[in-house]
Amino acid sequence: MKLYWGPHTCAIGTHVLLEEIGKPYEAEKIDAAGGATKEPWFKAINPKSKVPTLVLDDGRVLTEFGAIAIWLARQNPELNLVPTDADEEQRALSLMDFAVGTIHGQAFGRVFMPERFEPQDPVHQTLGLGQASVKKQGRQMIEEAFAIVDGQVAGREWAAGDRFGIADAALFFVERWAAEAGVELPANLAAHLERVKARPAVRTVMRIWGEA
Ligand SMILES: N[C@@H](CCC(=O)N[C@@H](CS)C(=O)NCC(=O)O)C(=O)O
């Protein structure tokens, strides 16, 4: 299988899961920020123009962080990447969905790509007010969301269950964006980020990404 990834993207969470699983895979770096996902060759693979994109050996294409993570977990049940206990599974999926849909999609999206959320009315457009207020709103949303999740991970080593799993991979990619967005990570999330970064699989991925 082959993972398409781009620097600074959420695809690092998928890359970490592949490395944790430890089976053979390829990883191809593309210039996602520079528009590579919009190029015809990539759109032919994933018309959504997004990484992570995981192409299986039989040609099937998997998209969406959460869906890919659950698929990888089901292929490797012995790793318990999704907890087997129903309450812990619910916790893992809830945390992952919040990280992917709200913290990434809504909050960081406003900070990193304000133009996609900018009010389109002429006053904002002419005075250039839109993007600054969108970014400010994004930072507030990140802070509020991090405060909620910080309370949820208090006293736990991993986000759900008793070992590293898909929710940790999702939290990892939003936690590591905090500094870039100028947001301070609350204490429990900062400690969680350090625990994740200390894992051998994560260190390997960070070396591949040129960050270690
Ligand atoms: N809902 C998607 C979001 C993926 C996503 O937003 N990926 C970003 C990088 S973090 C991307 O590929 N952006 C390129 C673009 O929008 O042009 C998922 O969870 O996989």
Side-chain angles (χ1 to χ4, degrees), residues 45-123:
I45 298 169
N46 180 0
K48 295 176 185 170
S49 293
K50 297 280 189 248
V51 292
T53 295
L54 187 67
V55 181
L56 304 185
D57 292 342
D58 64 7
R60 277 180 298 148
V61 178
L62 307 190
T63 65
E64 302 299 331
F65 181 90
I68 297 171
I70 291 171
W71 186 88
L72 287 171
R74 289 190 70 146
Q75 300 302 310
N76 301 278
E78 68 287 356
L79 295 181
N80 283 351
L81 291 167
V82 176
T84 48
D85 174 81
D87 290 336
E88 291 298 306
E89 178 188 48
Q90 195 283 331
R91 183 185 165 81
L93 297 181
S94 175
L95 279 164
M96 180 174 70
D97 194 47
F98 193 54
V100 171
T102 301
I103 306 181
H104 172 198
Q106 291 294 330
F108 277 104
R110 280 172 166 76
V111 176
F112 292 152
M113 289 174 296
E115 67 282 1
R116 296 191 184 174
F117 296 86
E118 185 181 17
Q120 298 299 306
D121 62 277
V123 173

Side-chain angles (χ1 to χ4, degrees), residues 93-168:
L93 297 181
S94 175
L95 279 164
M96 180 174 70
D97 194 47
F98 193 54
V100 171
T102 301
I103 306 181
H104 172 198
Q106 291 294 330
F108 277 104
R110 280 172 166 76
V111 176
F112 292 152
M113 289 174 296
E115 67 282 1
R116 296 191 184 174
F117 296 86
E118 185 181 17
Q120 298 299 306
D121 62 277
V123 173
H124 281 89
Q125 294 279 312
T126 309
L127 298 178
L129 295 172
Q131 294 201 14
S133 62
V134 167
K135 280 190 181 186
K136 188 173 166 209
Q137 185 191 36
R139 275 195 205 93
Q140 277 167 0
M141 291 167 78
I142 295 167
E143 282 166 3
E144 283 166 20
F146 275 168
I148 293 168
V149 179
D150 196 67
Q152 291 179 338
V153 302
R156 284 179 169 259
E157 186 175 14
W158 302 113
D162 58 1
R163 56 178 83 179
F164 177 91
I166 61 172
D168 297 292

